[in-house]
Amino acid sequence: MELILAIASGVLFGTGFYLMLRRRLAQLIIGLGLLSNGANLLIFTAGGLTRARAPVIAEDASLLVRPFADPVPQALVLTAIVIGFGVLAFSLVLAHGIHTMAGTDDIDEIRSGGG
Amino acid sequence: MLPLLVLSPYLLIPAAFWLGGRSVRVAGLLALWPAALTLYFGLMLRSVAVSGPIEASLSWAASIGIDLSFYADGLSLLFAVVVAGIGALIVLYGSRYFGSQPGAGRFQATLFAFMGSMLGLVLADNLFLLFIFWELTGFTSFLLIGFEHERPEARASAVQALVVTGLGGLGLLAAAVLIEQSTGAAALSSLLGLGLNLANGEFYPAIVVLLLLAAFTKSAQTPFHFWLPNAMTAPTPVSAYLHSATMVKAGIYLVARATPFAGATPLWTGLITGVGAITMIVGAWRAVAETDLKRMLAYSTVSALGLMMMLLGVGTEKAVMAALVYLFAHACYKGALFLVAGTLEHETGTRDITGLGGLRHAMPAAALAAALAACSMAGLPLFLGFLGKELLYESLLAWPATLLIGAIAASALLGTAGLIAGVSPFVGPPRGGAPEHRVPAGLTVPALVLAFLGLFAGIVPGSVELPAGLASGGILRRPVDASLSMWHGFTPVLGLSMATLALVALLYAYRDSLRRRIWPRSLGSERLYTATERGLDALSAWAAPRLQSASLRSYLLVLVTTAGVLIFATLVFEGLPGWPAVMDIQPHEACAAILIVAGAISAVRAKSSISAVLSLGVSGYGVALTYLFFGAPDLAMTQFSVETLTAVIFVLVFYHFRDFGSLSPWTDRLRGATVSVLFGGSIAVVLLFVGANLTPFRLANYFAEMGLPMAHGRNIVNVILVDFRALDTMGEITVLATAAFGVRALMHISRKERKNG
């Protein structure tokens, strides 16, 4: 299973990066979204996989009983998801603003002051 | 007590700023404190003469072994007296010079900052503390040279002085480190007290070169001398104080201070004597070529500094005495001449020597001060300058004749420059606009005090015997016969003095034709400096656009290619770790992974924005499912809602980005695809093999045990976020809030833009 998730994460990184290299603003942002999902999946998988055992203490117990999924990467990823969302929303609106002002979504054209 | 008094000028900075900006009378009161300090250091000099050096320290940066430790012996107190004494006169003069102009408060405040730094420099015990004060004097000098910061040439000169002396400052720091490395001691008191000599230790040549780099740049020795004449853009009180009487002598102080433990080798003696002698000649030569009064005085200061440096290099008892007597004499006469030059410029509006003359009736007190100072500079009998010159010649008698001839030539040229600066503006037919009012006393009294000091000390040489003798004893580490007298009988030295005076008279008579004939006009060192500066500018102008293209794509390519190459190189050189033990594959999990991959690839291939957004969403849902299957329901929930929200926002905004066709040529796309495949591949490989080297569950166990008793929560992920790592979460919330503000502001802008457009 790790093999499959490693490939999935690699695909997310590769496609995200490829889209970030494109010239359209919208593609840049989609790429950013893929890349951040890939990074989250990377952290999650690297922390080790455990099936269906959420790190939640049962009602009748006072501590977690093994096996349970490692809560530390989960906490990291949870933060990263939310931050990633904030960044994505911000860059989306930024791109929208640039597009409105420059009248084009071609990054090269915006850079050369055209539009 | 001593540390507080040394640092007291710093404490007075606010008062100086406040009082300096008020009335002239009140600002003059500020001079009382440096005057009191002068008295204190003078009295201390007496007690040091009896009971030996005084050490005192305040704890400061104890963890790195640097305290505010001070060491007062004859040499440092001699300098401290000069710094505080002339400081008092300059504060008084400055209050009159600036009047109630805007900037008067800033001037007085910076002056006090400099005074504190300079006192710290000459009294510091620890070499690193000395370095800090050394740099502070350079920094305050920068502020004062660029005092009239609206003028571009003032700013350029300030930067030039800072760069040149700052270069030397780095040398001093490096030398201090090397000294501590080779001896284990960084305190002057222990270096001097142990009677160590670095010449036998490691790094000696490097230490000498670095120390002398510091001393030569600070004391404007050739080839670094060019910054000093340029520094004359500073207000004249600053030129008189920093750039003639005190700061530029810091290099002399450093050499004198280091002589006991670093001196007495051919390298040391040769470098200092040689550079000093060349500087002495170059400065004197250039001084008579100038027509700008202040630049002329600046070049003569360069020459005098070279002369003192050379004498310290010669290093005999007579030579060291000569250097210290000269230091006193120079501080008095050059300070006075600078102050008179400032008064001339203040009252007539010019400082061009060819445009000034016959002002003796308009400003008699200034004329008297200038004449007395010029006499001392020319070395007329009865003046301190005469004593200095006698000692100079006497100490060079036993040395190669070239040094003696050089000294005579430099003295003659210096004397001529002194007469041109101090006498020619006041004699002859009146030229230049004479002031209609009386020159205020605040502008003449300080110059008169200094000029008379030069005469008094010449008539009563006993007054400088004690400090000069004590200081020379400190440099030579043995008691020195310090008796000075005006009359030695008919000796060869007297003959040389008289010959010099005759030469001065001759050169002064032919000063105009001498000025025209001076050649070469300048040395190449300033041009070298300017060329280096331009070259660096050109280099950055060439390199910056290449390194900082402001193109996201090229940054990304560089970053990712570097990361990819490093990862692959590690894998190749370190070899792959063992194949990790992997879990079996369940069909539903495989489906989630397929969703991720399919979504990502379809996002790349999408031809319209809507399909790209939906593909991103599909891929994100796949990630969320994976979280769900592997025991992370919180992540899955968050990911689901974030994906949904993202999709909604995207659809709203992407309404504007309808077209999704490719803009780049296929070569670009191929390059991008190649790098992307390599990058994704390396990530996959790394991730796979990281699993083989999992760190044990240490943190997880801690949280699992402590979650309920300490944080009273059953959901460990939540407990980590809101309790154990609550500050992180607060940071996260702040980021989100900032992003929300940003979104709000951007929406506002684009709405306005749309209305206008």
Side-chain angles (χ1 to χ4, degrees):
Chain A
M1 193 59 216
E2 282 90 342
L3 180 64
I4 291 184
L5 285 185
I7 292 169
S9 174
V11 168
L12 283 175
F13 268 93
T15 49
F17 183 63
Y18 177 79
L19 280 176
M20 288 181 82
L21 289 179
R22 303 276 59 76
R23 274 168 65 177
R24 288 194 191 278
L25 275 172
Q27 284 175 312
L28 173 70
I29 293 164
I30 300 268
L32 198 62
L34 289 173
L35 201 68
S36 70
N37 275 347
N40 292 343
L41 194 60
L42 175 94
I43 296 171
F44 185 73
T45 316
L49 297 172
T50 312
R51 277 199 179 103
R53 294 281 187 155
V56 176
I57 302 170
E59 280 300 325
D60 52 351
S62 68
L63 44 80
L64 271 183
V65 192
R66 281 185 177 281
F68 58 90
D70 189 344
V72 178
Q74 288 195 25
L76 292 177
V77 171
L78 194 58
T79 309
I81 293 173
V82 178
I83 296 265
F85 172 66
V87 170
L88 209 61
F90 181 78
S91 41
L92 192 63
V93 179
L94 186 64
H96 177 233
I98 292 170
H99 180 243
T100 321
M101 286 183 194
T104 173
D105 69 334
D106 180 352
I107 295 173
D108 285 9
E109 214 178 310
I110 295 167
R111 260 163 50 78
S112 61
Chain B
M1 188 68 170
L2 180 62
L4 272 181
L5 283 175
V6 172
L7 301 175
S8 63
Y10 287 131
L11 303 177
L12 284 176
I13 290 175
F17 186 77
W18 189 66
L19 291 178
R22 297 175 79 82
S23 76
V24 176
R25 215 171 287 277
V26 181
L29 288 179
L30 285 168
L32 287 176
W33 184 249
L37 281 180
T38 317
L39 196 65
Y40 173 77
F41 289 129
L43 291 174
M44 207 166 168
L45 199 62
R46 285 204 166 276
S47 70
V48 163
V50 180
S51 54
I54 296 168
E55 289 170 42
S57 84
L58 272 183
S59 176
W60 186 38
S63 58
I64 50 170
I66 302 177
D67 286 325
L68 290 172
S69 54
F70 295 98
Y71 176 75
D73 68 348
L75 182 64
S76 39
L77 287 172
L78 173 79
F79 275 87
V81 166
V82 171
V83 170
I86 298 192
L89 295 174
I90 298 292
V91 169
L92 187 64
Y93 181 90
S95 66
R96 208 16 119 170
Y97 187 85
F98 280 99
S100 44
Q101 284 176 38
R106 180 160 62 93
F107 168 78
Q108 296 285 9
T110 323
L111 205 64
F112 272 85
F114 168 76
M115 201 187 294
S117 315
M118 193 66 207
L119 285 176
L121 195 166
V122 297
L123 287 160
D125 184 16
N126 188 295
L127 277 173
F128 293 99
L129 190 63
L130 193 155
F131 163 75
I132 291 169
F133 285 122
W134 182 279
E135 291 295 64
L136 281 172
T137 61
F139 176 65
T140 40
S141 157
F142 166 78
L143 291 179
L144 288 168
I145 296 173
F147 187 76
E148 293 161 16
H149 52 82
E150 302 87 357
R151 291 167 54 208
E153 67 267 27
R155 296 199 299 270
S157 304
V159 169
Q160 188 183 56
L162 188 71
V163 169
V164 175
T165 57
L167 175 78
L170 290 180
L172 178 60
L173 179 62
V177 170
L178 288 180
I179 290 173
E180 197 189 19
Q181 288 290 313
S182 72
T183 65
L188 287 169
S189 53
S190 40
L191 282 167
L192 295 169
L194 296 173
L196 291 170
N197 198 334
L198 302 176
N200 313 317
E202 280 181 284
F203 315 122
Y204 178 69
I207 292 175
V208 168
V209 168
L210 290 166
L211 267 185
L212 293 186
L213 180 70
F216 290 170
T217 48
K218 200 79 161 180
S219 286
Q221 301 291 299
T222 307
F224 306 110
H225 64 280
F226 56 87
W227 71 264
L228 188 56
N230 291 340
M232 293 300 123
T233 53
T236 307
V238 174
S239 311
Y241 190 31
L242 276 72
H243 304 126
S244 130
T246 56
M247 189 189 85
V248 288
K249 299 214 170 89
I252 308 285
Y253 169 78
L254 184 67
V255 167
R257 187 90 281 180
T259 299
F261 54 85
T265 60
L267 178 67
W268 179 267
T269 311
L271 264 178
I272 295 174
T273 315
V275 170
I278 293 169
T279 310
M280 170 180 80
I281 303 283
V282 168
W285 189 245
R286 297 279 298 124
V288 291
E290 284 291 340
T291 55
D292 180 308
L293 198 47
K294 281 181 72 182
R295 284 182 71 88
M296 170 185 276
L297 291 174
Y299 272 116
S300 70
T301 304
V302 167
S303 174
L305 291 167
L307 196 155
M308 287 176 236
M309 203 58 102
M310 176 190 79
L311 285 170
L312 287 178
V314 167
T316 57
E317 203 172 299
K318 279 274 180 254
V320 172
M321 270 305 276
L324 293 169
V325 169
Y326 218 96
L327 184 128
F328 245 147
H330 179 259
C332 293
Y333 72 66
K334 193 58 64 63
L337 284 176
F338 260 118
L339 293 182
V340 170
T343 309
L344 282 171
E345 191 187 5
H346 195 268
E347 299 296 318
T348 68
T350 179
R351 54 182 209 227
D352 187 339
I353 203 69
T354 55
L356 289 167
L359 290 168
R360 63 186 176 283
H361 300 298
M363 30 177 91
L368 177 62
L372 289 175
C375 290
S376 183
M377 187 163 168
L380 237 59
L382 292 186
F383 287 90
L384 191 56
F386 177 78
L387 277 179
K389 198 159 39 151
E390 294 264 285
L391 281 167
L392 162 72
Y393 291 164
E394 206 176 330
S395 60
L396 291 179
L397 277 179
W399 281 65
T402 38
L403 275 188
L404 186 58
I405 293 168
I408 292 169
S411 298
L413 287 167
L414 273 179
T416 310
L419 290 185
I420 296 175
V423 175
S424 74
F426 299 101
V427 296
R431 260 179 303 170
E436 282 128 33
H437 56 95
R438 271 192 66 237
V439 179
L443 287 182
T444 50
V445 168
L448 275 172
V449 169
L450 284 173
F452 269 109
L453 261 180
L455 180 60
F456 170 77
I459 298 172
V460 191
S463 55
V464 286
E465 270 174 12
L466 171 79
L470 207 56
S472 341
I475 297 170
L476 298 167
R477 311 304 293 166
R478 60 167 186 267
V480 168
D481 165 35
S483 57
L484 296 170
S485 64
M486 212 26 97
W487 181 249
H488 298 282
F490 292 99
T491 55
V493 170
L494 184 67
L496 290 176
S497 283
M498 291 305 139
T500 312
L501 281 176
L503 211 53
V504 168
L506 190 70
L507 288 173
Y508 181 70
Y510 290 100
R511 60 185 182 278
D512 288 329
S513 63
L514 179 69
R515 186 181 302 137
R516 279 194 300 275
R517 270 167 239 265
I518 287 290
W519 186 91
R521 286 266 147 200
S522 76
L523 286 183
S525 55
E526 180 165 18
R527 261 172 285 154
L528 184 68
Y529 172 87
T530 320
T532 314
E533 203 181 22
R534 293 228 180 93
L536 285 174
D537 276 353
L539 180 69
S540 15
W542 175 83
R546 279 164 184 75
L547 294 173
Q548 302 219 306
S549 54
S551 152
L552 176 68
R553 249 171 297 157
S554 53
Y555 292 160
L556 281 177
L557 276 173
V558 170
L559 277 175
V560 163
T561 314
T562 313
V565 166
L566 286 178
I567 290 173
F568 269 103
T570 315
L571 289 178
V572 168
F573 288 113
E574 303 282 318
L576 285 175
W579 191 252
V582 288
M583 275 185 202
D584 57 322
I585 299 167
Q586 302 277 337
H588 59 285
E589 295 163 2
C591 284
I594 289 168
L595 272 186
I596 298 174
V597 173
I601 289 173
S602 130
V604 170
R605 299 174 55 86
K607 288 279 174 284
S608 78
S609 56
I610 297 299
S611 64
V613 171
L614 290 180
S615 310
L616 176 65
V618 167
S619 163
Y621 279 178
V623 175
L625 283 175
T626 313
Y627 293 151
L628 191 61
F629 296 151
F630 290 97
D634 298 294
L635 296 198
M637 299 270 282
T638 318
Q639 179 83 22
F640 275 128
S641 31
V642 160
E643 272 324 314
T644 314
L645 261 179
T646 311
V648 171
I649 301 175
F650 268 49
V651 168
L652 284 177
V653 173
F654 269 30
Y655 172 76
H656 301 279
F657 300 112
R658 255 170 267 180
D659 194 6
F660 234 66
S662 184
L663 287 167
S664 341
W666 68 271
T667 46
D668 273 16
R669 274 182 284 161
L670 184 65
R671 188 183 59 185
T674 317
V675 179
S676 303
V677 167
L678 282 176
F679 182 49
S682 58
I683 291 288
V685 173
V686 166
L687 179 51
L688 193 58
F689 286 96
V690 159
N693 301 312
L694 262 187
T695 45
F697 248 38
R698 213 162 41 87
L699 271 178
N701 286 339
Y702 172 80
F703 290 125
E705 276 169 34
M706 296 301 169
L708 200 55
M710 281 180 73
H712 306 287
R714 291 181 180 275
N715 183 332
I716 302 300
V717 176
N718 289 2
V719 157
I720 292 176
L721 285 177
V722 300
D723 206 302
F724 290 109
R725 311 286 312 158
L727 270 179
D728 284 1
T729 308
M730 203 170 80
E732 180 197 350
I733 293 169
T734 315
V735 171
L736 275 187
T738 314
F741 280 123
V743 166
R744 176 75 188 79
L746 281 168
M747 293 296 272
H748 186 67
I749 292 172
S750 19
R751 201 169 305 140
K752 248 173 53 189
E753 188 82 8
R754 217 171 314 148
K755 248 183 234 158
N756 297 342

